[in-house]
Amino acid sequence: MNNGQQNNGNMKKEKKHSLPKGWEIKKLGEVANVGSGNSAPQNKKLFENGIFPFFRTSDVGQIRKGFIGTSVNYLNENGIKSLKLFQKGTILLPKSGASTFLNHRVMMLVDGYVSSHLATIKAMSKIVDDKFLLYYLITIDAKDLIQNIAYPSLKISEIELIPIPLPPLSEQRRIVSILDKCFSAIEQSRNNAEQNLKNAKEIFNCVLDSILYDKKWEIERLGNVCKKIEYGTSSKAQTKGELPVLRMGNIQNGRFVWDNLVYSNNKDDNKKYLLKHNDVLFNRTNSPELVGKTAIYKSEKPAIFAGYLIRIHRKEDLLDADYLNYYLNSKMAFEYGKTVVISSVNQANINGTKLKTYPIPLPSLKEQQAIVHKLDALRIETQKLESIYQKKILLLEELKKSILQKAFNGELIMDN
């Protein structure tokens, strides 16, 4: 039944538009050799001083869509024995994982070895152009191929059935030439937009740094301007309940985001850890690059907080909450955090005792409030800029989709 549904879906795609004269529909397996890679060698010594790339799903995940020429792991001569070598021009496509991950497609720019978790697709050169095939496969949504939604994965037999609108080889190459030019221009525009987005964020950080590093401020230990610090609840959270439990994943850019919530029905916890307006929460355990991120609670909705977060009970006559939040999210605070963090594999921790040692520049309360007013206004303006550039990046992605659709409908025309 699934195969029938799949074939019907493919037939609908074939009838979606009438193809130009000379075009025909072929199944991927008719125009390309479709297979999978090699099981990864388990002996770590086979990767020592390696010179032969071994492409894994993680390598493809970093590129997402495009071209790949280097890998994280390289095999030595002993490591490649009995493994199949794949030619440059081979397209790699993940076979398992989240549906978004299954939409990654990259082409090898070098000969190399490939993980068995990746499908390998090599065009038959007399029938189809490598890059024409890559560009077309980018348009295929993996969810249209997945038969078992509960366990997203693709089978080689399913990949082989992908229908491809195929013009003569000379027309394929003309289309590829146009797409190369269009995508090169789009990529340049995207790079510019991403750089502008980065610059917008750096404007705010530069102003914040210039304030905090001003030598006229006295430096005080955070523990001296706080009454106490408090770890959150250690009780197991529920999918439904009376109060949301804010966790480290809910901290984004100094504020809380209210998605992927868990809940508490523990009455004692709900009373003890109930958040109050302007509570500042410090993330004490996370990955090395994210540990120490901080957010301020603005009474968005009643909530408590989890044990990986620390509530800072400040002395309100000495320390403004928003100023503290800006400081703990600053370069100055993160740099100091690196000197006191306790690290293990993929995990880092800054406990409450270490948090109390943080050196915080301490203007008067009135000066802190003036600084916060200035930073709030700047934040609004930089967020406007960020929104503009983020929208531009999204529009460029939509433009790529539109161009690809025209290309494979036979509607792509460009003046010489």
mmCIF file of all heavy atoms in Angstrom, residues 89-118:
data_model
loop_
_atom_site.group_PDB
_atom_site.id
_atom_site.type_symbol
_atom_site.label_atom_id
_atom_site.label_comp_id
_atom_site.label_asym_id
_atom_site.label_seq_id
_atom_site.Cartn_x
_atom_site.Cartn_y
_atom_site.Cartn_z
ATOM 1 N N GLY A 89 32.161 14.215 -7.518
ATOM 2 C CA GLY A 89 30.915 14.336 -8.268
ATOM 3 C C GLY A 89 29.815 13.471 -7.689
ATOM 4 O O GLY A 89 28.652 13.594 -8.073
ATOM 5 N N THR A 90 30.174 12.589 -6.735
ATOM 6 C CA THR A 90 29.172 11.774 -6.060
ATOM 7 C C THR A 90 28.355 12.657 -5.117
ATOM 8 O O THR A 90 28.902 13.473 -4.376
ATOM 9 C CB THR A 90 29.833 10.636 -5.253
ATOM 10 O OG1 THR A 90 30.544 9.782 -6.152
ATOM 11 C CG2 THR A 90 28.789 9.824 -4.502
ATOM 12 N N ILE A 91 27.037 12.490 -5.158
ATOM 13 C CA ILE A 91 26.138 13.249 -4.294
ATOM 14 C C ILE A 91 25.857 12.423 -3.045
ATOM 15 O O ILE A 91 25.595 11.225 -3.123
ATOM 16 C CB ILE A 91 24.830 13.577 -5.024
ATOM 17 C CG1 ILE A 91 25.118 14.467 -6.246
ATOM 18 C CG2 ILE A 91 23.831 14.275 -4.095
ATOM 19 C CD1 ILE A 91 23.962 14.584 -7.210
ATOM 20 N N LEU A 92 25.940 13.065 -1.892
ATOM 21 C CA LEU A 92 25.698 12.404 -0.610
ATOM 22 C C LEU A 92 24.366 12.877 -0.039
ATOM 23 O O LEU A 92 24.094 14.078 -0.011
ATOM 24 C CB LEU A 92 26.827 12.713 0.375
ATOM 25 C CG LEU A 92 28.248 12.427 -0.122
ATOM 26 C CD1 LEU A 92 29.264 12.769 0.966
ATOM 27 C CD2 LEU A 92 28.394 10.967 -0.552
ATOM 28 N N LEU A 93 23.573 11.919 0.435
ATOM 29 C CA LEU A 93 22.236 12.221 0.930
ATOM 30 C C LEU A 93 21.981 11.382 2.175
ATOM 31 O O LEU A 93 22.052 10.160 2.116
ATOM 32 C CB LEU A 93 21.225 11.892 -0.175
ATOM 33 C CG LEU A 93 19.782 12.341 -0.054
ATOM 34 C CD1 LEU A 93 19.154 12.446 -1.434
ATOM 35 C CD2 LEU A 93 18.976 11.362 0.784
ATOM 36 N N PRO A 94 21.713 12.009 3.335
ATOM 37 C CA PRO A 94 21.478 11.239 4.574
ATOM 38 C C PRO A 94 20.276 10.312 4.436
ATOM 39 O O PRO A 94 19.273 10.661 3.814
ATOM 40 C CB PRO A 94 21.206 12.331 5.616
ATOM 41 C CG PRO A 94 21.860 13.556 5.061
ATOM 42 C CD PRO A 94 21.696 13.456 3.579
ATOM 43 N N LYS A 95 20.392 9.135 5.051
ATOM 44 C CA LYS A 95 19.309 8.146 4.963
ATOM 45 C C LYS A 95 18.472 8.071 6.236
ATOM 46 O O LYS A 95 17.386 7.481 6.220
ATOM 47 C CB LYS A 95 19.890 6.754 4.682
ATOM 48 C CG LYS A 95 20.573 6.622 3.336
ATOM 49 C CD LYS A 95 20.886 5.159 3.048
ATOM 50 C CE LYS A 95 21.871 4.594 4.050
ATOM 51 N NZ LYS A 95 22.151 3.160 3.811
ATOM 52 N N SER A 96 18.965 8.630 7.352
ATOM 53 C CA SER A 96 18.203 8.569 8.592
ATOM 54 C C SER A 96 18.428 9.831 9.404
ATOM 55 O O SER A 96 19.411 10.542 9.210
ATOM 56 C CB SER A 96 18.613 7.340 9.414
ATOM 57 O OG SER A 96 19.983 7.406 9.747
ATOM 58 N N GLY A 97 17.476 10.100 10.310
ATOM 59 C CA GLY A 97 17.551 11.304 11.128
ATOM 60 C C GLY A 97 16.278 12.118 11.016
ATOM 61 O O GLY A 97 15.281 11.665 10.451
ATOM 62 N N ALA A 98 16.305 13.334 11.550
ATOM 63 C CA ALA A 98 15.143 14.214 11.455
ATOM 64 C C ALA A 98 14.850 14.528 9.996
ATOM 65 O O ALA A 98 15.746 14.534 9.153
ATOM 66 C CB ALA A 98 15.411 15.505 12.227
ATOM 67 N N SER A 99 13.567 14.813 9.700
ATOM 68 C CA SER A 99 13.171 15.051 8.307
ATOM 69 C C SER A 99 13.922 16.218 7.690
ATOM 70 O O SER A 99 14.239 16.207 6.503
ATOM 71 C CB SER A 99 11.660 15.287 8.218
ATOM 72 O OG SER A 99 11.276 16.368 9.045
ATOM 73 N N THR A 100 14.237 17.255 8.493
ATOM 74 C CA THR A 100 14.996 18.385 7.958
ATOM 75 C C THR A 100 16.405 17.948 7.581
ATOM 76 O O THR A 100 16.955 18.385 6.569
ATOM 77 C CB THR A 100 15.086 19.520 8.987
ATOM 78 O OG1 THR A 100 15.548 18.984 10.241
ATOM 79 C CG2 THR A 100 13.725 20.165 9.208
ATOM 80 N N PHE A 101 17.002 17.055 8.401
ATOM 81 C CA PHE A 101 18.345 16.567 8.115
ATOM 82 C C PHE A 101 18.363 15.743 6.837
ATOM 83 O O PHE A 101 19.332 15.767 6.079
ATOM 84 C CB PHE A 101 18.847 15.732 9.295
ATOM 85 C CG PHE A 101 20.286 15.316 9.175
ATOM 86 C CD1 PHE A 101 21.291 16.244 9.300
ATOM 87 C CD2 PHE A 101 20.627 13.997 8.943
ATOM 88 C CE1 PHE A 101 22.627 15.875 9.188
ATOM 89 C CE2 PHE A 101 21.954 13.611 8.824
ATOM 90 C CZ PHE A 101 22.953 14.556 8.957
ATOM 91 N N LEU A 102 17.270 15.039 6.565
ATOM 92 C CA LEU A 102 17.181 14.217 5.363
ATOM 93 C C LEU A 102 17.121 15.075 4.099
ATOM 94 O O LEU A 102 17.252 14.557 2.994
ATOM 95 C CB LEU A 102 15.947 13.312 5.430
ATOM 96 C CG LEU A 102 15.966 12.240 6.533
ATOM 97 C CD1 LEU A 102 14.669 11.461 6.534
ATOM 98 C CD2 LEU A 102 17.141 11.296 6.365
ATOM 99 N N ASN A 103 16.928 16.373 4.249
ATOM 100 C CA ASN A 103 16.895 17.271 3.094
ATOM 101 C C ASN A 103 18.275 17.810 2.726
ATOM 102 O O ASN A 103 18.403 18.601 1.801
ATOM 103 C CB ASN A 103 15.943 18.443 3.357
ATOM 104 C CG ASN A 103 14.494 18.050 3.159
ATOM 105 O OD1 ASN A 103 14.178 17.274 2.269
ATOM 106 N ND2 ASN A 103 13.615 18.566 4.001
ATOM 107 N N HIS A 104 19.301 17.407 3.447
ATOM 108 C CA HIS A 104 20.655 17.853 3.118
ATOM 109 C C HIS A 104 21.172 17.077 1.908
ATOM 110 O O HIS A 104 21.027 15.858 1.831
ATOM 111 C CB HIS A 104 21.598 17.649 4.306
ATOM 112 C CG HIS A 104 21.236 18.484 5.496
ATOM 113 N ND1 HIS A 104 21.862 18.360 6.709
ATOM 114 C CD2 HIS A 104 20.316 19.460 5.654
ATOM 115 C CE1 HIS A 104 21.339 19.222 7.562
ATOM 116 N NE2 HIS A 104 20.405 19.898 6.940
ATOM 117 N N ARG A 105 21.769 17.790 0.953
ATOM 118 C CA ARG A 105 22.379 17.149 -0.212
ATOM 119 C C ARG A 105 23.676 17.879 -0.528
ATOM 120 O O ARG A 105 23.681 19.103 -0.682
ATOM 121 C CB ARG A 105 21.504 17.246 -1.466
ATOM 122 C CG ARG A 105 20.203 16.444 -1.435
ATOM 123 C CD ARG A 105 19.026 17.302 -1.020
ATOM 124 N NE ARG A 105 17.747 16.636 -1.198
ATOM 125 C CZ ARG A 105 17.242 15.754 -0.348
ATOM 126 N NH1 ARG A 105 17.948 15.372 0.689
ATOM 127 N NH2 ARG A 105 16.043 15.228 -0.558
ATOM 128 N N VAL A 106 24.766 17.142 -0.606
ATOM 129 C CA VAL A 106 26.036 17.765 -0.967
ATOM 130 C C VAL A 106 26.738 16.919 -2.023
ATOM 131 O O VAL A 106 26.493 15.717 -2.142
ATOM 132 C CB VAL A 106 26.966 17.931 0.267
ATOM 133 C CG1 VAL A 106 26.298 18.736 1.352
ATOM 134 C CG2 VAL A 106 27.425 16.582 0.803
ATOM 135 N N MET A 107 27.601 17.572 -2.788
ATOM 136 C CA MET A 107 28.380 16.876 -3.809
ATOM 137 C C MET A 107 29.850 16.870 -3.414
ATOM 138 O O MET A 107 30.399 17.902 -3.009
ATOM 139 C CB MET A 107 28.217 17.549 -5.175
ATOM 140 C CG MET A 107 29.052 16.890 -6.272
ATOM 141 S SD MET A 107 28.928 17.771 -7.835
ATOM 142 C CE MET A 107 27.259 17.316 -8.314
ATOM 143 N N MET A 108 30.501 15.715 -3.542
ATOM 144 C CA MET A 108 31.913 15.595 -3.241
ATOM 145 C C MET A 108 32.754 16.272 -4.320
ATOM 146 O O MET A 108 32.571 16.011 -5.505
ATOM 147 C CB MET A 108 32.304 14.123 -3.126
ATOM 148 C CG MET A 108 31.674 13.403 -1.945
ATOM 149 S SD MET A 108 31.793 11.585 -2.048
ATOM 150 C CE MET A 108 33.530 11.345 -2.408
ATOM 151 N N LEU A 109 33.668 17.121 -3.886
ATOM 152 C CA LEU A 109 34.588 17.782 -4.820
ATOM 153 C C LEU A 109 35.891 17.000 -4.956
ATOM 154 O O LEU A 109 36.757 17.386 -5.742
ATOM 155 C CB LEU A 109 34.885 19.205 -4.344
ATOM 156 C CG LEU A 109 33.696 20.174 -4.357
ATOM 157 C CD1 LEU A 109 34.119 21.528 -3.793
ATOM 158 C CD2 LEU A 109 33.136 20.333 -5.756
ATOM 159 N N VAL A 110 36.023 15.944 -4.178
ATOM 160 C CA VAL A 110 37.226 15.106 -4.206
ATOM 161 C C VAL A 110 36.796 13.637 -4.155
ATOM 162 O O VAL A 110 35.669 13.315 -3.782
ATOM 163 C CB VAL A 110 38.148 15.405 -2.999
ATOM 164 C CG1 VAL A 110 38.709 16.813 -3.079
ATOM 165 C CG2 VAL A 110 37.399 15.195 -1.680
ATOM 166 N N ASP A 111 37.709 12.746 -4.547
ATOM 167 C CA ASP A 111 37.460 11.326 -4.306
ATOM 168 C C ASP A 111 37.524 11.079 -2.802
ATOM 169 O O ASP A 111 38.308 11.721 -2.089
ATOM 170 C CB ASP A 111 38.518 10.467 -4.993
ATOM 171 C CG ASP A 111 38.466 10.576 -6.511
ATOM 172 O OD1 ASP A 111 37.447 11.079 -7.029
ATOM 173 O OD2 ASP A 111 39.432 10.154 -7.177
ATOM 174 N N GLY A 112 36.712 10.154 -2.306
ATOM 175 C CA GLY A 112 36.739 9.908 -0.872
ATOM 176 C C GLY A 112 35.932 8.697 -0.471
ATOM 177 O O GLY A 112 35.321 8.019 -1.310
ATOM 178 N N TYR A 113 35.944 8.434 0.817
ATOM 179 C CA TYR A 113 35.222 7.307 1.395
ATOM 180 C C TYR A 113 34.021 7.852 2.160
ATOM 181 O O TYR A 113 34.058 8.974 2.672
ATOM 182 C CB TYR A 113 36.155 6.491 2.282
ATOM 183 C CG TYR A 113 37.305 5.920 1.493
ATOM 184 C CD1 TYR A 113 38.467 6.663 1.272
ATOM 185 C CD2 TYR A 113 37.217 4.660 0.897
ATOM 186 C CE1 TYR A 113 39.514 6.177 0.508
ATOM 187 C CE2 TYR A 113 38.256 4.151 0.127
ATOM 188 C CZ TYR A 113 39.398 4.919 -0.065
ATOM 189 O OH TYR A 113 40.420 4.429 -0.847
ATOM 190 N N VAL A 114 32.955 7.053 2.247
ATOM 191 C CA VAL A 114 31.672 7.562 2.713
ATOM 192 C C VAL A 114 31.070 6.623 3.751
ATOM 193 O O VAL A 114 31.155 5.394 3.625
ATOM 194 C CB VAL A 114 30.696 7.725 1.521
ATOM 195 C CG1 VAL A 114 29.332 8.202 1.988
ATOM 196 C CG2 VAL A 114 31.270 8.690 0.484
ATOM 197 N N SER A 115 30.425 7.199 4.777
ATOM 198 C CA SER A 115 29.750 6.422 5.810
ATOM 199 C C SER A 115 28.529 5.696 5.248
ATOM 200 O O SER A 115 27.860 6.184 4.327
ATOM 201 C CB SER A 115 29.305 7.350 6.950
ATOM 202 O OG SER A 115 28.340 6.733 7.771
ATOM 203 N N SER A 116 28.215 4.559 5.837
ATOM 204 C CA SER A 116 27.050 3.779 5.401
ATOM 205 C C SER A 116 25.734 4.463 5.732
ATOM 206 O O SER A 116 24.677 4.055 5.245
ATOM 207 C CB SER A 116 27.077 2.394 6.052
ATOM 208 O OG SER A 116 27.083 2.504 7.468
ATOM 209 N N HIS A 117 25.772 5.511 6.550
ATOM 210 C CA HIS A 117 24.552 6.258 6.879
ATOM 211 C C HIS A 117 24.161 7.233 5.766
ATOM 212 O O HIS A 117 23.142 7.912 5.870
ATOM 213 C CB HIS A 117 24.743 7.019 8.186
ATOM 214 C CG HIS A 117 24.891 6.136 9.383
ATOM 215 N ND1 HIS A 117 23.854 5.384 9.889
ATOM 216 C CD2 HIS A 117 25.964 5.855 10.170
ATOM 217 C CE1 HIS A 117 24.268 4.689 10.931
ATOM 218 N NE2 HIS A 117 25.549 4.956 11.122
ATOM 219 N N LEU A 118 24.995 7.316 4.740
ATOM 220 C CA LEU A 118 24.736 8.222 3.626
ATOM 221 C C LEU A 118 24.452 7.438 2.354
ATOM 222 O O LEU A 118 25.133 6.452 2.056
ATOM 223 C CB LEU A 118 25.940 9.138 3.391
ATOM 224 C CG LEU A 118 26.267 10.138 4.497
ATOM 225 C CD1 LEU A 118 27.653 10.732 4.300
ATOM 226 C CD2 LEU A 118 25.221 11.250 4.544
#
